[in-house]
PDB file of all heavy atoms in Angstrom:
ATOM      1  N   GLY A   1      89.833 105.850  80.619  1.00 91.00           N
ATOM      2  CA  GLY A   1      91.063 105.425  81.245  1.00 91.00           C
ATOM      3  C   GLY A   1      91.725 106.463  82.119  1.00 91.00           C
ATOM      4  O   GLY A   1      92.810 106.219  82.662  1.00 91.00           O
ATOM      5  N   GLY A   2      91.095 107.604  82.290  1.00 90.00           N
ATOM      6  CA  GLY A   2      91.704 108.687  83.035  1.00 90.00           C
ATOM      7  C   GLY A   2      91.699 108.511  84.539  1.00 90.00           C
ATOM      8  O   GLY A   2      92.472 109.171  85.240  1.00 90.00           O
ATOM      9  N   ARG A   3      90.845 107.669  85.042  1.00 94.00           N
ATOM     10  CA  ARG A   3      90.749 107.434  86.474  1.00 94.00           C
ATOM     11  C   ARG A   3      90.818 105.942  86.758  1.00 94.00           C
ATOM     12  O   ARG A   3      90.246 105.138  86.020  1.00 94.00           O
ATOM     13  CB  ARG A   3      89.452 107.990  87.043  1.00 94.00           C
ATOM     14  CG  ARG A   3      89.285 109.494  86.886  1.00 94.00           C
ATOM     15  CD  ARG A   3      87.993 109.943  87.539  1.00 94.00           C
ATOM     16  NE  ARG A   3      88.010 109.735  88.975  1.00 94.00           N
ATOM     17  CZ  ARG A   3      86.929 109.539  89.724  1.00 94.00           C
ATOM     18  NH1 ARG A   3      85.735 109.509  89.159  1.00 94.00           N
ATOM     19  NH2 ARG A   3      87.044 109.379  91.034  1.00 94.00           N
ATOM     20  N   THR A   4      91.519 105.596  87.815  1.00 95.00           N
ATOM     21  CA  THR A   4      91.606 104.204  88.251  1.00 95.00           C
ATOM     22  C   THR A   4      91.467 104.136  89.760  1.00 95.00           C
ATOM     23  O   THR A   4      91.693 105.123  90.467  1.00 95.00           O
ATOM     24  CB  THR A   4      92.935 103.555  87.841  1.00 95.00           C
ATOM     25  OG1 THR A   4      94.026 104.292  88.404  1.00 95.00           O
ATOM     26  CG2 THR A   4      93.077 103.524  86.325  1.00 95.00           C
ATOM     27  N   PHE A   5      91.104 102.972  90.239  1.00 96.00           N
ATOM     28  CA  PHE A   5      90.962 102.752  91.664  1.00 96.00           C
ATOM     29  C   PHE A   5      91.263 101.294  91.960  1.00 96.00           C
ATOM     30  O   PHE A   5      90.889 100.410  91.184  1.00 96.00           O
ATOM     31  CB  PHE A   5      89.554 103.111  92.131  1.00 96.00           C
ATOM     32  CG  PHE A   5      89.354 102.945  93.607  1.00 96.00           C
ATOM     33  CD1 PHE A   5      89.856 103.876  94.496  1.00 96.00           C
ATOM     34  CD2 PHE A   5      88.661 101.848  94.111  1.00 96.00           C
ATOM     35  CE1 PHE A   5      89.680 103.730  95.863  1.00 96.00           C
ATOM     36  CE2 PHE A   5      88.480 101.691  95.473  1.00 96.00           C
ATOM     37  CZ  PHE A   5      88.991 102.639  96.349  1.00 96.00           C
ATOM     38  N   TYR A   6      91.920 101.047  93.098  1.00 95.00           N
ATOM     39  CA  TYR A   6      92.337  99.705  93.458  1.00 95.00           C
ATOM     40  C   TYR A   6      91.964  99.370  94.890  1.00 95.00           C
ATOM     41  O   TYR A   6      91.940 100.250  95.757  1.00 95.00           O
ATOM     42  CB  TYR A   6      93.854  99.550  93.338  1.00 95.00           C
ATOM     43  CG  TYR A   6      94.404  99.867  91.977  1.00 95.00           C
ATOM     44  CD1 TYR A   6      94.787 101.163  91.638  1.00 95.00           C
ATOM     45  CD2 TYR A   6      94.548  98.872  91.019  1.00 95.00           C
ATOM     46  CE1 TYR A   6      95.292 101.457  90.388  1.00 95.00           C
ATOM     47  CE2 TYR A   6      95.058  99.156  89.767  1.00 95.00           C
ATOM     48  CZ  TYR A   6      95.427 100.451  89.458  1.00 95.00           C
ATOM     49  OH  TYR A   6      95.929 100.742  88.219  1.00 95.00           O
ATOM     50  N   LEU A   7      91.717  98.110  95.125  1.00 89.00           N
ATOM     51  CA  LEU A   7      91.612  97.628  96.483  1.00 89.00           C
ATOM     52  C   LEU A   7      92.959  97.868  97.153  1.00 89.00           C
ATOM     53  O   LEU A   7      94.012  97.750  96.521  1.00 89.00           O
ATOM     54  CB  LEU A   7      91.270  96.143  96.486  1.00 89.00           C
ATOM     55  CG  LEU A   7      90.884  95.500  97.814  1.00 89.00           C
ATOM     56  CD1 LEU A   7      89.557  96.045  98.307  1.00 89.00           C
ATOM     57  CD2 LEU A   7      90.810  93.986  97.655  1.00 89.00           C
ATOM     58  N   ASP A   8      92.936  98.206  98.433  1.00 88.00           N
ATOM     59  CA  ASP A   8      94.166  98.577  99.133  1.00 88.00           C
ATOM     60  C   ASP A   8      95.266  97.532  98.999  1.00 88.00           C
ATOM     61  O   ASP A   8      96.441  97.870  98.835  1.00 88.00           O
ATOM     62  CB  ASP A   8      93.872  98.828 100.614  1.00 88.00           C
ATOM     63  CG  ASP A   8      93.175 100.147 100.860  1.00 88.00           C
ATOM     64  OD1 ASP A   8      93.177 101.001  99.956  1.00 88.00           O
ATOM     65  OD2 ASP A   8      92.631 100.331 101.963  1.00 88.00           O
ATOM     66  N   SER A   9      94.906  96.265  99.074  1.00 84.00           N
ATOM     67  CA  SER A   9      95.910  95.214  99.009  1.00 84.00           C
ATOM     68  C   SER A   9      96.565  95.092  97.637  1.00 84.00           C
ATOM     69  O   SER A   9      97.592  94.435  97.503  1.00 84.00           O
ATOM     70  CB  SER A   9      95.291  93.872  99.405  1.00 84.00           C
ATOM     71  OG  SER A   9      94.258  93.492  98.516  1.00 84.00           O
ATOM     72  N   MET A  10      95.984  95.719  96.631  1.00 87.00           N
ATOM     73  CA  MET A  10      96.519  95.662  95.278  1.00 87.00           C
ATOM     74  C   MET A  10      97.397  96.857  94.923  1.00 87.00           C
ATOM     75  O   MET A  10      98.179  96.790  93.969  1.00 87.00           O
ATOM     76  CB  MET A  10      95.392  95.597  94.244  1.00 87.00           C
ATOM     77  CG  MET A  10      94.228  94.703  94.604  1.00 87.00           C
ATOM     78  SD  MET A  10      94.724  92.985  94.831  1.00 87.00           S
ATOM     79  CE  MET A  10      93.131  92.288  95.298  1.00 87.00           C
ATOM     80  N   LYS A  11      97.242  97.932  95.651  1.00 84.00           N
ATOM     81  CA  LYS A  11      97.949  99.163  95.324  1.00 84.00           C
ATOM     82  C   LYS A  11      99.457  98.945  95.321  1.00 84.00           C
ATOM     83  O   LYS A  11     100.016  98.359  96.232  1.00 84.00           O
ATOM     84  CB  LYS A  11      97.586 100.272  96.312  1.00 84.00           C
ATOM     85  CG  LYS A  11      96.154 100.742  96.196  1.00 84.00           C
ATOM     86  CD  LYS A  11      95.843 101.843  97.206  1.00 84.00           C
ATOM     87  CE  LYS A  11      94.409 102.308  97.078  1.00 84.00           C
ATOM     88  NZ  LYS A  11      94.076 103.345  98.088  1.00 84.00           N
ATOM     89  N   GLY A  12     100.098  99.415  94.257  1.00 92.00           N
ATOM     90  CA  GLY A  12     101.532  99.263  94.124  1.00 92.00           C
ATOM     91  C   GLY A  12     101.950  97.967  93.476  1.00 92.00           C
ATOM     92  O   GLY A  12     103.109  97.825  93.083  1.00 92.00           O
ATOM     93  N   ARG A  13     101.045  97.014  93.359  1.00 96.00           N
ATOM     94  CA  ARG A  13     101.347  95.728  92.740  1.00 96.00           C
ATOM     95  C   ARG A  13     100.575  95.504  91.444  1.00 96.00           C
ATOM     96  O   ARG A  13     101.104  94.932  90.500  1.00 96.00           O
ATOM     97  CB  ARG A  13     101.038  94.580  93.701  1.00 96.00           C
ATOM     98  CG  ARG A  13     101.832  94.622  94.992  1.00 96.00           C
ATOM     99  CD  ARG A  13     101.686  93.308  95.759  1.00 96.00           C
ATOM    100  NE  ARG A  13     100.299  93.033  96.120  1.00 96.00           N
ATOM    101  CZ  ARG A  13      99.622  91.946  95.757  1.00 96.00           C
ATOM    102  NH1 ARG A  13     100.216  91.015  95.016  1.00 96.00           N
ATOM    103  NH2 ARG A  13      98.363  91.770  96.147  1.00 96.00           N
ATOM    104  N   PHE A  14      99.329  95.935  91.426  1.00 97.00           N
ATOM    105  CA  PHE A  14      98.472  95.715  90.267  1.00 97.00           C
ATOM    106  C   PHE A  14      98.237  97.026  89.527  1.00 97.00           C
ATOM    107  O   PHE A  14      98.153  98.090  90.140  1.00 97.00           O
ATOM    108  CB  PHE A  14      97.117  95.157  90.684  1.00 97.00           C
ATOM    109  CG  PHE A  14      97.138  93.742  91.188  1.00 97.00           C
ATOM    110  CD1 PHE A  14      98.328  93.082  91.449  1.00 97.00           C
ATOM    111  CD2 PHE A  14      95.945  93.064  91.409  1.00 97.00           C
ATOM    112  CE1 PHE A  14      98.347  91.772  91.916  1.00 97.00           C
ATOM    113  CE2 PHE A  14      95.945  91.759  91.872  1.00 97.00           C
ATOM    114  CZ  PHE A  14      97.138  91.117  92.126  1.00 97.00           C
ATOM    115  N   THR A  15      98.110  96.931  88.214  1.00 97.00           N
ATOM    116  CA  THR A  15      97.810  98.088  87.390  1.00 97.00           C
ATOM    117  C   THR A  15      96.729  97.732  86.379  1.00 97.00           C
ATOM    118  O   THR A  15      96.893  96.795  85.601  1.00 97.00           O
ATOM    119  CB  THR A  15      99.054  98.591  86.637  1.00 97.00           C
ATOM    120  OG1 THR A  15     100.085  98.920  87.566  1.00 97.00           O
ATOM    121  CG2 THR A  15      98.708  99.836  85.825  1.00 97.00           C
ATOM    122  N   ILE A  16      95.643  98.475  86.404  1.00 97.00           N
ATOM    123  CA  ILE A  16      94.585  98.292  85.425  1.00 97.00           C
ATOM    124  C   ILE A  16      94.779  99.307  84.303  1.00 97.00           C
ATOM    125  O   ILE A  16      95.134 100.456  84.551  1.00 97.00           O
ATOM    126  CB  ILE A  16      93.191  98.438  86.073  1.00 97.00           C
ATOM    127  CG1 ILE A  16      92.088  98.072  85.074  1.00 97.00           C
ATOM    128  CG2 ILE A  16      92.981  99.836  86.642  1.00 97.00           C
ATOM    129  CD1 ILE A  16      90.699  98.001  85.707  1.00 97.00           C
ATOM    130  N   SER A  17      94.566  98.869  83.085  1.00 97.00           N
ATOM    131  CA  SER A  17      94.688  99.759  81.941  1.00 97.00           C
ATOM    132  C   SER A  17      93.753  99.278  80.842  1.00 97.00           C
ATOM    133  O   SER A  17      93.225  98.170  80.902  1.00 97.00           O
ATOM    134  CB  SER A  17      96.135  99.817  81.439  1.00 97.00           C
ATOM    135  OG  SER A  17      96.576  98.549  80.989  1.00 97.00           O
ATOM    136  N   ARG A  18      93.564 100.110  79.846  1.00 95.00           N
ATOM    137  CA  ARG A  18      92.717  99.724  78.733  1.00 95.00           C
ATOM    138  C   ARG A  18      93.270 100.289  77.439  1.00 95.00           C
ATOM    139  O   ARG A  18      93.893 101.349  77.410  1.00 95.00           O
ATOM    140  CB  ARG A  18      91.268 100.194  78.950  1.00 95.00           C
ATOM    141  CG  ARG A  18      91.090 101.705  78.992  1.00 95.00           C
ATOM    142  CD  ARG A  18      89.692 102.080  79.493  1.00 95.00           C
ATOM    143  NE  ARG A  18      88.641 101.575  78.626  1.00 95.00           N
ATOM    144  CZ  ARG A  18      87.362 101.468  78.981  1.00 95.00           C
ATOM    145  NH1 ARG A  18      86.984 101.814  80.207  1.00 95.00           N
ATOM    146  NH2 ARG A  18      86.470 101.006  78.111  1.00 95.00           N
ATOM    147  N   ASP A  19      93.041  99.559  76.375  1.00 94.00           N
ATOM    148  CA  ASP A  19      93.401  99.990  75.039  1.00 94.00           C
ATOM    149  C   ASP A  19      92.121  99.940  74.224  1.00 94.00           C
ATOM    150  O   ASP A  19      91.732  98.889  73.722  1.00 94.00           O
ATOM    151  CB  ASP A  19      94.481  99.095  74.438  1.00 94.00           C
ATOM    152  CG  ASP A  19      94.993  99.606  73.101  1.00 94.00           C
ATOM    153  OD1 ASP A  19      94.287 100.395  72.445  1.00 94.00           O
ATOM    154  OD2 ASP A  19      96.105  99.217  72.709  1.00 94.00           O
ATOM    155  N   ASN A  20      91.468 101.068  74.121  1.00 88.00           N
ATOM    156  CA  ASN A  20      90.177 101.096  73.442  1.00 88.00           C
ATOM    157  C   ASN A  20      90.291 100.760  71.960  1.00 88.00           C
ATOM    158  O   ASN A  20      89.349 100.237  71.368  1.00 88.00           O
ATOM    159  CB  ASN A  20      89.519 102.462  73.631  1.00 88.00           C
ATOM    160  CG  ASN A  20      88.998 102.664  75.037  1.00 88.00           C
ATOM    161  OD1 ASN A  20      88.978 101.735  75.847  1.00 88.00           O
ATOM    162  ND2 ASN A  20      88.568 103.880  75.347  1.00 88.00           N
ATOM    163  N   ALA A  21      91.433 101.060  71.354  1.00 90.00           N
ATOM    164  CA  ALA A  21      91.633 100.739  69.949  1.00 90.00           C
ATOM    165  C   ALA A  21      91.649  99.232  69.723  1.00 90.00           C
ATOM    166  O   ALA A  21      91.293  98.756  68.645  1.00 90.00           O
ATOM    167  CB  ALA A  21      92.929 101.357  69.440  1.00 90.00           C
ATOM    168  N   LYS A  22      92.072  98.475  70.735  1.00 92.00           N
ATOM    169  CA  LYS A  22      92.116  97.021  70.650  1.00 92.00           C
ATOM    170  C   LYS A  22      90.951  96.357  71.371  1.00 92.00           C
ATOM    171  O   LYS A  22      90.894  95.130  71.454  1.00 92.00           O
ATOM    172  CB  LYS A  22      93.426  96.495  71.222  1.00 92.00           C
ATOM    173  CG  LYS A  22      94.662  96.938  70.462  1.00 92.00           C
ATOM    174  CD  LYS A  22      95.920  96.347  71.073  1.00 92.00           C
ATOM    175  CE  LYS A  22      97.159  96.745  70.298  1.00 92.00           C
ATOM    176  NZ  LYS A  22      98.394  96.177  70.896  1.00 92.00           N
ATOM    177  N   ASN A  23      90.057  97.153  71.907  1.00 93.00           N
ATOM    178  CA  ASN A  23      88.909  96.631  72.656  1.00 93.00           C
ATOM    179  C   ASN A  23      89.351  95.690  73.770  1.00 93.00           C
ATOM    180  O   ASN A  23      88.738  94.639  73.997  1.00 93.00           O
ATOM    181  CB  ASN A  23      87.934  95.912  71.729  1.00 93.00           C
ATOM    182  CG  ASN A  23      87.277  96.841  70.741  1.00 93.00           C
ATOM    183  OD1 ASN A  23      87.102  98.031  71.006  1.00 93.00           O
ATOM    184  ND2 ASN A  23      86.887  96.297  69.598  1.00 93.00           N
ATOM    185  N   THR A  24      90.395  96.073  74.472  1.00 95.00           N
ATOM    186  CA  THR A  24      90.991  95.182  75.456  1.00 95.00           C
ATOM    187  C   THR A  24      91.264  95.895  76.770  1.00 95.00           C
ATOM    188  O   THR A  24      91.765  97.019  76.789  1.00 95.00           O
ATOM    189  CB  THR A  24      92.293  94.569  74.930  1.00 95.00           C
ATOM    190  OG1 THR A  24      92.024  93.878  73.707  1.00 95.00           O
ATOM    191  CG2 THR A  24      92.864  93.580  75.932  1.00 95.00           C
ATOM    192  N   LEU A  25      90.941  95.219  77.849  1.00 97.00           N
ATOM    193  CA  LEU A  25      91.244  95.642  79.202  1.00 97.00           C
ATOM    194  C   LEU A  25      92.376  94.777  79.728  1.00 97.00           C
ATOM    195  O   LEU A  25      92.432  93.580  79.435  1.00 97.00           O
ATOM    196  CB  LEU A  25      90.005  95.481  80.084  1.00 97.00           C
ATOM    197  CG  LEU A  25      90.162  95.769  81.574  1.00 97.00           C
ATOM    198  CD1 LEU A  25      90.236  97.268  81.808  1.00 97.00           C
ATOM    199  CD2 LEU A  25      89.003  95.145  82.353  1.00 97.00           C
ATOM    200  N   TYR A  26      93.258  95.365  80.522  1.00 98.00           N
ATOM    201  CA  TYR A  26      94.397  94.636  81.063  1.00 98.00           C
ATOM    202  C   TYR A  26      94.465  94.763  82.574  1.00 98.00           C
ATOM    203  O   TYR A  26      94.005  95.741  83.160  1.00 98.00           O
ATOM    204  CB  TYR A  26      95.711  95.161  80.486  1.00 98.00           C
ATOM    205  CG  TYR A  26      95.811  95.084  78.987  1.00 98.00           C
ATOM    206  CD1 TYR A  26      95.554  96.205  78.201  1.00 98.00           C
ATOM    207  CD2 TYR A  26      96.167  93.899  78.354  1.00 98.00           C
ATOM    208  CE1 TYR A  26      95.648  96.141  76.823  1.00 98.00           C
ATOM    209  CE2 TYR A  26      96.259  93.828  76.982  1.00 98.00           C
ATOM    210  CZ  TYR A  26      96.001  94.952  76.221  1.00 98.00           C
ATOM    211  OH  TYR A  26      96.094  94.887  74.849  1.00 98.00           O
ATOM    212  N   LEU A  27      95.073  93.762  83.181  1.00 98.00           N
ATOM    213  CA  LEU A  27      95.443  93.837  84.580  1.00 98.00           C
ATOM    214  C   LEU A  27      96.860  93.297  84.705  1.00 98.00           C
ATOM    215  O   LEU A  27      97.080  92.089  84.576  1.00 98.00           O
ATOM    216  CB  LEU A  27      94.486  93.035  85.469  1.00 98.00           C
ATOM    217  CG  LEU A  27      94.776  93.130  86.969  1.00 98.00           C
ATOM    218  CD1 LEU A  27      94.501  94.551  87.478  1.00 98.00           C
ATOM    219  CD2 LEU A  27      93.942  92.118  87.752  1.00 98.00           C
ATOM    220  N   GLN A  28      97.806  94.188  84.927  1.00 98.00           N
ATOM    221  CA  GLN A  28      99.185  93.795  85.157  1.00 98.00           C
ATOM    222  C   GLN A  28      99.345  93.491  86.637  1.00 98.00           C
ATOM    223  O   GLN A  28      99.084  94.356  87.477  1.00 98.00           O
ATOM    224  CB  GLN A  28     100.142  94.906  84.737  1.00 98.00           C
ATOM    225  CG  GLN A  28     101.609  94.593  84.981  1.00 98.00           C
ATOM    226  CD  GLN A  28     102.117  93.455  84.138  1.00 98.00           C
ATOM    227  OE1 GLN A  28     101.871  93.419  82.931  1.00 98.00           O
ATOM    228  NE2 GLN A  28     102.811  92.505  84.752  1.00 98.00           N
ATOM    229  N   MET A  29      99.775  92.293  86.949  1.00 98.00           N
ATOM    230  CA  MET A  29      99.920  91.862  88.324  1.00 98.00           C
ATOM    231  C   MET A  29     101.375  91.534  88.599  1.00 98.00           C
ATOM    232  O   MET A  29     101.945  90.638  87.976  1.00 98.00           O
ATOM    233  CB  MET A  29      99.043  90.641  88.606  1.00 98.00           C
ATOM    234  CG  MET A  29      97.570  90.865  88.293  1.00 98.00           C
ATOM    235  SD  MET A  29      96.529  89.460  88.782  1.00 98.00           S
ATOM    236  CE  MET A  29      97.151  88.220  87.646  1.00 98.00           C
ATOM    237  N   ASN A  30     101.969  92.258  89.517  1.00 97.00           N
ATOM    238  CA  ASN A  30     103.355  92.051  89.911  1.00 97.00           C
ATOM    239  C   ASN A  30     103.428  91.655  91.374  1.00 97.00           C
ATOM    240  O   ASN A  30     102.485  91.853  92.129  1.00 97.00           O
ATOM    241  CB  ASN A  30     104.170  93.323  89.676  1.00 97.00           C
ATOM    242  CG  ASN A  30     104.201  93.757  88.235  1.00 97.00           C
ATOM    243  OD1 ASN A  30     104.234  92.929  87.331  1.00 97.00           O
ATOM    244  ND2 ASN A  30     104.202  95.070  88.010  1.00 97.00           N
ATOM    245  N   SER A  31     104.567  91.125  91.763  1.00 97.00           N
ATOM    246  CA  SER A  31     104.794  90.722  93.154  1.00 97.00           C
ATOM    247  C   SER A  31     103.648  89.877  93.670  1.00 97.00           C
ATOM    248  O   SER A  31     103.121  90.101  94.764  1.00 97.00           O
ATOM    249  CB  SER A  31     104.993  91.960  94.033  1.00 97.00           C
ATOM    250  OG  SER A  31     106.090  92.736  93.588  1.00 97.00           O
ATOM    251  N   LEU A  32     103.275  88.902  92.905  1.00 97.00           N
ATOM    252  CA  LEU A  32     102.126  88.078  93.258  1.00 97.00           C
ATOM    253  C   LEU A  32     102.371  87.282  94.528  1.00 97.00           C
ATOM    254  O   LEU A  32     103.487  86.831  94.800  1.00 97.00           O
ATOM    255  CB  LEU A  32     101.787  87.140  92.109  1.00 97.00           C
ATOM    256  CG  LEU A  32     101.079  87.820  90.934  1.00 97.00           C
ATOM    257  CD1 LEU A  32     101.131  86.940  89.696  1.00 97.00           C
ATOM    258  CD2 LEU A  32      99.632  88.132  91.307  1.00 97.00           C
ATOM    259  N   LYS A  33     101.308  87.119  95.277  1.00 96.00           N
ATOM    260  CA  LYS A  33     101.333  86.396  96.537  1.00 96.00           C
ATOM    261  C   LYS A  33     100.376  85.217  96.471  1.00 96.00           C
ATOM    262  O   LYS A  33      99.411  85.245  95.701  1.00 96.00           O
ATOM    263  CB  LYS A  33     100.917  87.319  97.685  1.00 96.00           C
ATOM    264  CG  LYS A  33     101.716  88.600  97.790  1.00 96.00           C
ATOM    265  CD  LYS A  33     101.127  89.516  98.847  1.00 96.00           C
ATOM    266  CE  LYS A  33     101.893  90.822  98.938  1.00 96.00           C
ATOM    267  NZ  LYS A  33     101.306  91.729  99.960  1.00 96.00           N
ATOM    268  N   PRO A  34     100.604  84.190  97.264  1.00 97.00           N
ATOM    269  CA  PRO A  34      99.680  83.052  97.265  1.00 97.00           C
ATOM    270  C   PRO A  34      98.232  83.461  97.506  1.00 97.00           C
ATOM    271  O   PRO A  34      97.322  82.849  96.939  1.00 97.00           O
ATOM    272  CB  PRO A  34     100.212  82.170  98.395  1.00 97.00           C
ATOM    273  CG  PRO A  34     101.681  82.444  98.397  1.00 97.00           C
ATOM    274  CD  PRO A  34     101.791  83.921  98.113  1.00 97.00           C
ATOM    275  N   GLU A  35      98.015  84.483  98.310  1.00 95.00           N
ATOM    276  CA  GLU A  35      96.663  84.929  98.585  1.00 95.00           C
ATOM    277  C   GLU A  35      95.993  85.608  97.392  1.00 95.00           C
ATOM    278  O   GLU A  35      94.801  85.914  97.441  1.00 95.00           O
ATOM    279  CB  GLU A  35      96.618  85.861  99.807  1.00 95.00           C
ATOM    280  CG  GLU A  35      97.607  87.015  99.737  1.00 95.00           C
ATOM    281  CD  GLU A  35      98.888  86.726 100.502  1.00 95.00           C
ATOM    282  OE1 GLU A  35      99.395  85.593 100.394  1.00 95.00           O
ATOM    283  OE2 GLU A  35      99.380  87.632 101.208  1.00 95.00           O
ATOM    284  N   ASP A  36      96.743  85.845  96.324  1.00 97.00           N
ATOM    285  CA  ASP A  36      96.163  86.367  95.090  1.00 97.00           C
ATOM    286  C   ASP A  36      95.521  85.266  94.257  1.00 97.00           C
ATOM    287  O   ASP A  36      94.878  85.563  93.243  1.00 97.00           O
ATOM    288  CB  ASP A  36      97.231  87.074  94.248  1.00 97.00           C
ATOM    289  CG  ASP A  36      97.767  88.332  94.904  1.00 97.00           C
ATOM    290  OD1 ASP A  36      96.975  89.075  95.509  1.00 97.00           O
ATOM    291  OD2 ASP A  36      98.986  88.571  94.808  1.00 97.00           O
ATOM    292  N   THR A  37      95.701  84.036  94.656  1.00 98.00           N
ATOM    293  CA  THR A  37      95.124  82.912  93.928  1.00 98.00           C
ATOM    294  C   THR A  37      93.604  83.036  93.891  1.00 98.00           C
ATOM    295  O   THR A  37      92.950  83.141  94.928  1.00 98.00           O
ATOM    296  CB  THR A  37      95.528  81.586  94.579  1.00 98.00           C
ATOM    297  OG1 THR A  37      96.943  81.412  94.466  1.00 98.00           O
ATOM    298  CG2 THR A  37      94.829  80.417  93.900  1.00 98.00           C
ATOM    299  N   ALA A  38      93.047  83.036  92.699  1.00 98.00           N
ATOM    300  CA  ALA A  38      91.607  83.201  92.529  1.00 98.00           C
ATOM    301  C   ALA A  38      91.270  83.119  91.051  1.00 98.00           C
ATOM    302  O   ALA A  38      92.154  83.122  90.189  1.00 98.00           O
ATOM    303  CB  ALA A  38      91.148  84.555  93.085  1.00 98.00           C
ATOM    304  N   VAL A  39      89.986  83.050  90.770  1.00 98.00           N
ATOM    305  CA  VAL A  39      89.508  83.248  89.413  1.00 98.00           C
ATOM    306  C   VAL A  39      89.276  84.739  89.237  1.00 98.00           C
ATOM    307  O   VAL A  39      88.589  85.366  90.043  1.00 98.00           O
ATOM    308  CB  VAL A  39      88.209  82.468  89.144  1.00 98.00           C
ATOM    309  CG1 VAL A  39      87.690  82.774  87.741  1.00 98.00           C
ATOM    310  CG2 VAL A  39      88.451  80.974  89.305  1.00 98.00           C
TER     311      VAL A  39
END
């Protein structure tokens, strides 16, 4: 979890993180835009 990288359009809006104790990866998405619509 020490290094992260984002697509330019996501920088400042999205945050990737992980909790290894919970075996879980997260993506916090803020300021969502219609163009973020996707699977």
Side-chain angles (χ1 to χ4, degrees):
R3 299 182 65 207
T4 59
F5 182 77
Y6 303 89
L7 190 67
D8 285 344
S9 62
M10 319 300 178
K11 292 180 180 178
R13 300 192 299 122
F14 290 10
T15 302
I16 187 172
S17 62
R18 64 192 299 163
D19 186 339
N20 287 351
K22 296 181 178 180
N23 294 332
T24 303
L25 175 75
Y26 301 99
L27 183 67
Q28 178 66 47
M29 304 185 294
N30 299 324
S31 301
L32 284 164
K33 306 173 182 179
E35 52 263 43
D36 294 321
T37 295
V39 176

